[in-house]
Amino acid sequence: MSIEALFDHTCDIYHIVEGENNPGYNLPSSPSFSYPSVADENGVQCHFTVRVGNNTSMVQNEPQNEYSARIKLNLPVGTDIRLHDKVVDCDTKLEYTAVTPPRNIRGNHSIVYIERTQEQKPL
């Protein structure tokens, strides 16, 4: 089986953009981080490795439950993905955040660990 046969999903990748937030009133400015509205990488072939049990958690909170998951994302070598980038699954439209830098596996493919939470939150 070739590595291309493994990539059965597609995703969009958004690179994080650093800006500056100036609150005014002679207060110092602070950095702010956001994602662009248009994806930097569109339709990237990938594979989401989801194993239920050891990398997912459900916490009961008010007013709603919180679901989080840590997933291994397999990508082709040379894909431009960075730490804290947003990854959107093209099929389900679920959003994830890259929590590790990409790791090249023997020049064959790259692995990035991503996390999904109920809402995107800064790391």
Side-chain angles (χ1 to χ4, degrees), residues 58-93:
M58 178 75 75
V59 178
Q60 187 171 356
N61 287 334
E62 289 295 332
Q64 59 197 16
N65 297 336
E66 288 185 12
Y67 174 75
S68 65
R70 185 178 176 120
I71 298 170
K72 182 169 69 170
L73 177 65
N74 296 294
L75 296 163
V77 173
T79 303
D80 187 16
I81 187 167
R82 306 169 195 151
L83 188 63
H84 304 301
D85 281 354
K86 180 169 76 169
V87 177
V88 178
D89 187 352
C90 291
D91 295 332
T92 62
K93 303 299 182 203

Side-chain angles (χ1 to χ4, degrees), residues 6-9 46-52 54-56 69-75 89 96 109-114:
L6 173 70
F7 301 137
D8 55 351
H9 302 115
C46 63
H47 178 73
F48 292 91
T49 305
V50 180
R51 293 188 327 201
V52 177
N54 60 350
N55 59 356
T56 60
R70 185 178 176 120
I71 298 170
K72 182 169 69 170
L73 177 65
N74 296 294
L75 296 163
D89 187 352
Y96 303 89
H109 63 286
S110 297
I111 290 178
V112 177
Y113 283 96
I114 56 177

Side-chain angles (χ1 to χ4, degrees), residues 19-24 26-32:
E20 194 168 290
N21 185 12
N22 190 349
N26 204 19
L27 295 171
S29 60
S30 61
S32 65

